[in-house]
Amino acid sequence: MGQYIQVNDKVKIYVEDIGEGTPVLFIHGWPLDHTMFEYQFMQLPRQGYRCIGIDLRGFGRSDSPWEGYSYNQLADDIRVVIDELKLDNVVLAGFSLGGAVAIRYMSRHEGQGIAKLLLMGAAAPSFIQRNNFPFGAPEEQIEKLMLATLADRPQMVTDFSKIFTDKGGSASFEDWLHQHAVGASAQGTLRALESLRDEDLRGDLASIRVPTAIFHGEKDQICSFELAKLTNRGIANSRLVVFEESGHAMLFDEPDKFSEELTGFLADHSVSRSTNASDLPTMIYPSV
């Protein structure tokens, strides 16, 4: 069932809500929408889960204002949805940009209503390289994406899609992916890129206290695998799950493993902290 929820600045956010049981709230990546999780929406309700997908402002069926694409605002939109639907004991699952926004939600709203956190290919703790943080993408890379968005957005989407997965897919899958990415608003596509460039989550990680799983493709060309290790190190009670044959979108590159790991995490009550990132430097914490 789909519905629109009006958030505090009069923007309407589209929410898809299917199934009954433990709620799993999915936040999509840039520049897609909630339909990227359509296979999970077909599988999980059969297993007793309620799947809720948000289209972030500027994407999918949600309104597309010019302003309001900061992580704070996107996290506030999620809070309104959670409050409006009276959700509790939620598994918050964010992919890429959605993973970054999920982290900010946990920090800014003190994890209100959230029992577990799932980060998938998350753009965290910082999408770009910064002082004392050489692990993200060069800032020039995102500047090129922004220029390409202004010059020829459909071609930018085509080029970006080539590194979205490692294995690629059928021509029909590529068309489907392109259709949804181009379907995002131009302003949402551009302004969310600005947030990816400007936002820094290094100071948010320590505030997360719920069991957390970090799914990340070892061949990720968008959010490097080093970012997953750093995020794992920064979040207590987190576990890093490596997708060795995946690029950025492990749910498409290794769908069977993704499904197995996802359902295992949803049912697991003993998620423990991984120590496989212990050799990484400590100079990046705290943030500034």
Side-chain angles (χ1 to χ4, degrees):
M1 179 181 70
Q3 62 178 300
Y4 287 91
I5 293 177
Q6 186 168 299
V7 296
N8 56 7
D9 60 352
K10 310 304 180 184
V11 172
K12 290 182 179 177
I13 299 296
Y14 181 77
V15 179
E16 191 78 14
D17 191 348
I18 298 176
E20 297 179 355
T22 300
V24 185
L25 179 58
F26 290 95
I27 311 174
H28 63 83
W30 178 92
L32 297 171
D33 55 48
H34 81 277
T35 59
M36 70 171 294
F37 300 111
E38 67 174 51
Y39 296 102
Q40 288 68 53
F41 273 61
M42 289 189 289
Q43 296 168 356
L44 293 180
R46 300 171 186 262
Q47 301 170 20
Y49 293 98
R50 178 184 176 186
C51 288
I52 302 166
I54 293 177
D55 283 350
L56 296 173
R57 58 173 62 205
F59 301 91
R61 302 183 194 179
S62 290
D63 287 347
S64 304
W66 176 246
E67 301 289 349
Y69 295 91
S70 69
Y71 287 179
N72 281 352
Q73 183 59 67
L74 297 175
D76 290 351
D77 290 348
I78 294 169
R79 176 62 186 268
V80 173
V81 171
I82 287 175
D83 289 348
E84 183 70 20
L85 297 181
K86 297 180 172 59
L87 300 177
D88 197 15
N89 197 36
V90 177
V91 179
L92 182 60
F95 175 82
S96 196
L97 169 64
V101 174
I103 290 172
R104 178 55 53 83
Y105 177 87
M106 297 300 295
S107 173
R108 182 171 172 83
H109 294 282
E110 299 179 336
Q112 175 63 38
I114 308 303
K116 292 182 182 180
L117 177 65
L118 172 59
L119 303 173
M120 301 166 284
S126 171
F127 182 68
I128 69 167
Q129 297 172 8
R130 304 182 187 278
N131 290 337
N132 296 327
F133 190 85
F135 305 100
E139 185 172 351
E140 309 86 74
Q141 182 175 317
I142 204 163
E143 296 290 349
K144 288 180 181 178
L145 277 175
M146 294 170 67
L147 289 173
T149 299
L150 291 168
D152 188 341
R153 188 167 63 92
Q155 184 61 50
M156 180 279 292
V157 168
T158 297
D159 294 340
F160 182 77
S161 297
K162 293 176 181 178
I163 59 171
F164 191 66
T165 63
D166 181 67
K167 298 180 180 179
S170 67
S172 297
F173 172 79
E174 298 297 335
D175 288 344
W176 174 85
L177 192 65
H178 188 272
Q179 174 187 349
H180 286 282
V182 171
S185 71
Q187 59 268 32
T189 300
L190 181 65
R191 300 308 299 273
L193 276 174
E194 293 174 354
S195 293
L196 282 164
R197 177 195 65 193
D198 298 340
E199 300 270 9
D200 188 345
L201 295 164
R202 286 177 287 172
D204 296 61
L205 300 183
S207 65
I208 298 173
R209 299 300 181 191
V210 300
T212 300
I214 300 165
F215 290 6
H216 214 98
E218 199 165 31
K219 301 178 180 180
D220 196 329
Q221 298 183 58
I222 297 171
C223 297
S224 72
F225 187 64
E226 291 299 317
L227 295 184
K229 294 179 181 179
L230 292 164
T231 301
N232 175 216
R233 181 176 184 184
I235 300 176
N237 199 28
S238 68
R239 175 170 59 94
L240 177 59
V241 179
V242 182
F243 287 78
E244 296 177 350
E245 301 301 322
S246 290
H248 189 49
M250 77 295 295
L251 67 169
F252 299 124
D253 275 333
E254 296 182 78
D256 291 338
K257 179 176 179 177
F258 180 84
S259 179
E260 179 182 355
E261 293 288 354
L262 174 61
T263 54
F265 176 66
L266 294 178
D268 187 10
H269 298 289
S270 60
V271 179
S272 60
R273 176 171 167 76
S274 170
T275 58
N276 60 358
S278 60
D279 58 336
L280 291 167
T282 59
M283 62 183 179
I284 63 164
Y285 299 105
S287 58
V288 179

